[in-house]
């Protein structure tokens, strides 16, 4: 008889154990010759060494299933103990799964181009109108890289461009003033990671969300770095950001050239970078169009209406 402690790393143990510990009770029933006690994220097991080895291997497979899909069912547990593939494992083309288990994958040809570019290039520019999924899909790629240990950190940034309200007049400290600009990035992460897991990673600075100004002086290595709303950077800002790139790092720069909030006389850094870097080897450029819009159908109609209006006033 031997005793082992198995730690359920990187996952929410509540998801693993199931509602009312239903999954845990099922696992105990499947291994009647082992004594299994769970507390927090540690499973204590006592029993025969040979049976223990099988149990340990299958629990690790279950843990990886929860890490990848953010859920596990009784059917999944049975498939794993039988050495069979689960239903989710048979689905192809998924980047990651959201917290409710919905697959996040490309929904258009250009979105697939963005996924393919991430696999082949270290720097990607993804430009297109609102609703084309460029930010959401980029964050999904970063989460996948973190889960698969291809990156040690995720760093998300946006320029804090004032649109109507002055930062100094907003209530609260600096974090309170800045957070509204970064909220879309929080929203995407919260859709892909359980809250407790996300909070833990942010407290450990594995996931960092910061305004663009906070990037100065840093070298960003072993990370996936995303600059969102890059059309609102100045030429100096985007140049500073792009030169932060360190070893084993991938950068994704997203933007919408129809939504520039800079003062009228200020040149967009994204527009300049697209022109200067268009022939640089190792950089991919993905242009998304209104055909790639995956939000409510009214978003496509709104984009079309504004395009027609802009043409008429020029």
């Amino acid at each position: 008889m031997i005793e082992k402690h198995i730690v359920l790393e990187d996952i929410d143990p509540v998801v693993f154990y199931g509602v009312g510990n239903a999954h845990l009770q099922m696992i105990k029933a499947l291994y009647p010759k082992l004594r299994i006690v769970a507390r927090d994220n540690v499973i204590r097991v006592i029993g025969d060494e040979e049976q223990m080895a099988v149990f340990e291997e299958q629990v690790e497979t279950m843990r990886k299933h929860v890490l990848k899909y953010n859920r596990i069912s009784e059917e999944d547990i049975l498939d794993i103990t039988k050495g069979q593939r689960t239903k989710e494992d048979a689905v192809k083309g998924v980047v990651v799964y959201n917290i409710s288990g919905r697959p996040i994958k490309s929904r258009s040809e250009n979105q697939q181009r963005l996924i393919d570019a991430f696999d082949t290039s270290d720097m990607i520019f993804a430009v297109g109108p609102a609703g084309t999924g460029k930010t959401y899909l980029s964050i999904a790629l970063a989460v996948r890289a973190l889960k698969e240990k291809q990156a040690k950190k995720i760093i998300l940034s946006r320029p804090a461009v004032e649109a109507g309200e002055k930062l100094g007049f907003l209530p609260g400290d600096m974090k309170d003033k800045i957070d509204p600009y970064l909220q879309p990035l929080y929203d995407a992460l919260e859709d892909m990671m359980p809250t407790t897991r996300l909070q833990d990673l942010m407290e450990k600075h594995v996931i960092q969300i910061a305004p663009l100004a906070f990037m100065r002086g840093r070298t960003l290595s072993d990370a996936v770095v995303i600059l969102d709303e890059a059309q609102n950077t100045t030429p100096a800002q985007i140049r500073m950001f792009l030169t932060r790139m360190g070893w084993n790092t991938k950068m994704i720069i997203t933007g919408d050239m129809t939504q520039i909030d800079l003062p009228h006389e200020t040149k967009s850094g994204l527009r300049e970078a697209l022109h200067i870097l268009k022939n640089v080897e190792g950089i991919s450029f993905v242009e998304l169009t209104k055909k790639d819009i995956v939000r409510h159908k009214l978003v496509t109609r709104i984009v079309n209406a504004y395009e027609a209006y802009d043409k008429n006033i020029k």
Side-chain angles (χ1 to χ4, degrees):
M1 300 284 283
I2 63 169
E3 178 177 332
K4 278 199 173 182
H5 290 191
I6 301 171
V7 181
L8 301 174
E9 293 181 341
D10 301 332
I11 65 168
D12 184 350
V14 174
V15 176
F16 187 93
Y17 299 145
V19 178
N21 285 335
H23 296 162
L24 180 61
Q25 297 306 320
M26 181 181 183
I27 290 169
K28 288 181 177 181
L30 289 168
Y31 302 93
K33 295 182 180 180
L34 298 176
R35 185 184 172 199
I36 302 168
V37 179
R39 184 179 181 85
D40 296 328
N41 70 330
V42 179
I43 301 176
R44 178 170 166 258
V45 193
I46 301 173
D48 175 76
E49 185 173 0
E50 186 176 336
Q51 292 178 340
M52 183 85 72
V54 174
F55 176 79
E56 193 172 12
E57 181 181 340
Q58 292 182 342
V59 165
E60 175 60 12
T61 303
M62 294 176 201
R63 185 196 69 82
K64 288 180 177 178
H65 185 97
V66 174
L67 181 64
K68 184 174 183 179
Y69 303 112
N70 288 316
R71 66 176 181 179
I72 192 166
S73 67
E74 292 184 356
E75 184 180 354
D76 294 329
I77 292 171
L78 282 174
D79 286 339
I80 290 169
T81 56
K82 292 175 183 177
Q84 299 174 353
R85 295 174 68 191
T86 64
K87 287 189 300 183
E88 288 89 348
D89 287 332
V91 179
K92 296 181 179 179
V94 178
V95 179
V96 290
Y97 287 76
N98 74 357
I99 56 173
S100 62
R102 180 178 63 83
I104 299 170
K105 56 196 298 188
S106 66
R107 296 173 64 180
S108 70
E109 184 178 341
N110 287 326
Q111 284 192 355
Q112 186 59 48
R113 285 184 61 218
L114 174 55
I115 294 171
D116 295 339
F118 185 82
D119 293 333
T120 58
S121 301
D122 289 338
M123 184 177 290
I124 306 105
F125 285 83
V127 181
T132 51
K134 54 190 181 294
T135 299
Y136 190 80
L137 193 56
S138 295
I139 292 177
L141 289 165
V143 170
R144 183 186 71 179
L146 186 67
K147 286 188 173 187
E148 295 180 355
K149 301 190 184 302
Q150 295 171 351
K152 295 180 181 177
K153 291 177 291 187
I154 296 175
I155 301 171
L156 310 176
S157 187
R158 266 187 166 201
V161 175
E162 298 172 357
E165 289 183 292
K166 296 294 184 182
L167 279 174
F169 292 106
L170 293 174
D173 58 18
M174 179 57 74
K175 184 178 185 301
D176 294 328
K177 294 174 192 289
I178 293 297
D179 272 358
Y181 292 100
L182 308 175
Q183 192 58 50
L185 305 179
Y186 288 111
D187 290 344
L189 283 170
E190 287 169 353
D191 192 41
M192 298 177 202
M193 288 187 167
T195 302
T196 53
R197 176 66 180 152
L198 177 58
Q199 289 175 345
D200 180 58
L201 291 174
M202 293 185 71
E203 287 172 4
K204 293 176 178 176
H205 302 291
V206 174
I207 295 178
Q208 304 171 27
I209 304 178
L212 179 58
F214 288 28
M215 296 295 107
R216 187 172 297 279
R218 300 183 65 184
T219 299
L220 309 174
S221 299
D222 298 310
V224 177
V225 187
I226 298 171
L227 174 59
D228 193 33
E229 300 287 353
Q231 76 276 1
N232 288 327
T233 61
T234 65
Q237 285 176 327
I238 199 165
R239 184 174 182 175
M240 176 273 292
F241 174 82
L242 296 177
T243 54
R244 300 305 93 203
M245 190 173 193
W247 294 106
N248 191 36
T249 288
K250 286 184 179 284
M251 280 188 166
I252 307 177
I253 300 92
T254 71
D256 177 1
M257 299 311 301
T258 67
Q259 293 190 359
I260 298 174
D261 297 320
L262 293 166
H264 184 67
E265 68 279 2
T266 304
K267 186 186 298 184
S268 168
L270 177 59
R271 177 173 281 135
E272 183 177 274
L274 291 172
H275 174 70
I276 293 172
L277 304 176
K278 61 183 178 182
N279 294 320
V280 175
E281 185 179 353
I283 300 178
S284 289
F285 299 88
V286 179
E287 184 174 355
L288 297 105
T289 69
K290 57 189 177 184
K291 292 181 181 179
D292 301 299
I293 292 175
V294 292
R295 291 181 185 168
H296 194 285
K297 59 186 178 182
L298 275 176
V299 175
T300 303
R301 296 173 189 169
I302 291 168
V303 170
N304 288 338
Y306 270 96
E307 281 185 357
Y309 175 77
D310 289 341
K311 289 177 182 177
N312 289 333
I313 63 172
K314 285 181 180 178

